[in-house]
Amino acid sequence: MSRYDELEDWISKRTKASLWSFGLLDENKNSQNFSEAKVLHSNGKSYEGVNFTAVDYLGLSHHPEMIHMATDAMYRYQSTHSKSSGPLMGNTKESEKLQTDLADFLGIANVFLCPTGWAAGFVGITGVIRKSDYVLMDELAHQCLQQGANAATNNVLKFRHLDNEHLREQLQKIKAKDKKASVLVITEGLYSMDGDYTDFKTFVSICKEYDAFT
């Protein structure tokens, strides 16, 4: 474990200087005001500010009706979670109805529920990509997408962040190697860390030009 001594010392110094931004403990008791945060830092001090880390994007986890329904479900099913994953007896009539209702709302044939957003990104790729296929992705795509791609195929390439011309170059290389290759091109609608996004009109046009899926 001595190999980590230097790293531990570096983290300790950053923590003392209040520059270590990880491992913050949420102390916010006001569940209605989820846009603000009160956190306990690893240096023992408390800080308050705007919450830029929440993934509760719509604030629904704090909605009174959601809290009531979640509590009611725990009492009805005598459990705090499903007994297993969906395909292995983890689904209920309510979850099946939610899938059907979402499909109707979106105007599509089927919806498959995943337990987390990370899982959705992962299975969204592994569910359609085979070993002979290619995945071409933005270099800053989320880890769930990168791991899903690498779990599905060894043919994983990247293009520079938001660089559609580099995307074109990479597609040219793939098609020059295998004209019939099935290629899935991946980017994100909005990159959460920097708030940037691609030129989607050009992005889609390039993918269609090389018969790639997006």
Side-chain angles (χ1 to χ4, degrees):
M1 296 300 291
S2 60
R3 73 178 73 181
Y4 298 108
D5 289 346
E6 186 176 346
L7 174 61
E8 185 176 356
D9 180 60
W10 182 77
I11 293 175
S12 178
K13 290 177 179 177
R14 289 181 64 84
T15 299
K16 291 178 180 178
S18 300
L19 297 175
W20 186 247
S21 58
F22 303 101
L24 303 178
L25 301 180
D26 185 5
E27 290 190 312
N28 190 7
K29 301 300 190 296
N30 184 3
S31 61
Q32 298 299 317
N33 194 5
F34 59 89
S35 63
E36 297 183 4
K38 182 178 180 181
V39 298
L40 178 65
H41 195 274
S42 52
N43 62 11
K45 299 179 181 179
S46 293
Y47 297 89
E48 295 184 21
V50 179
N51 188 356
F52 287 110
T53 70
V55 293
D56 181 16
Y57 304 117
L58 301 178
L60 293 178
S61 67
H62 298 87
H63 195 286
E65 187 174 351
M66 292 290 290
I67 295 174
H68 170 75
M69 293 177 68
T71 305
D72 179 62
M74 284 191 291
Y75 279 104
R76 283 191 291 114
Y77 288 99
Q78 294 293 298
S79 176
T80 57
H81 60 85
S82 62
K83 303 175 185 65
S84 182
S85 61
L88 297 174
M89 295 178 61
N91 283 335
T92 62
K93 290 182 179 179
E94 284 79 3
S95 64
E96 291 285 348
K97 186 176 187 303
L98 177 58
Q99 290 183 151
T100 301
D101 290 348
L102 285 172
D104 291 342
F105 177 77
L106 296 171
I108 57 180
N110 297 288
V111 164
F112 176 75
L113 291 178
C114 294
T116 64
W118 200 101
F122 185 89
V123 303
I125 298 175
T126 56
V128 298
I129 292 298
R130 298 297 177 260
K131 291 183 177 180
S132 60
D133 298 334
Y134 287 78
V135 176
L136 177 56
M137 61 199 320
D138 188 296
E139 62 182 353
L140 295 187
H142 195 277
Q143 270 297 305
C144 66
L145 302 173
Q146 296 199 36
Q147 292 194 35
N150 284 288
T153 178
N154 290 326
N155 304 320
V156 180
L157 295 88
K158 297 180 182 179
F159 58 92
R160 289 187 293 271
H161 184 49
L162 307 183
D163 190 336
N164 283 329
E165 286 309 308
H166 191 224
L167 163 63
R168 184 192 299 275
E169 293 173 12
Q170 295 291 67
L171 282 172
Q172 287 175 342
K173 291 179 181 178
I174 294 173
K175 290 297 183 175
K177 181 179 180 181
D178 185 356
K179 291 183 179 180
K180 296 183 179 181
S182 292
V183 185
L184 175 65
V185 182
I186 298 174
T187 188
E188 294 188 23
L190 179 67
Y191 285 83
S192 60
M193 298 303 292
D194 298 310
D196 52 3
Y197 55 91
T198 191
D199 174 1
F200 285 103
K201 185 176 182 179
T202 302
F203 175 85
V204 173
S205 176
I206 293 173
C207 292
K208 287 184 176 180
E209 180 182 348
Y210 290 91
D211 196 27
F213 298 94
T214 57

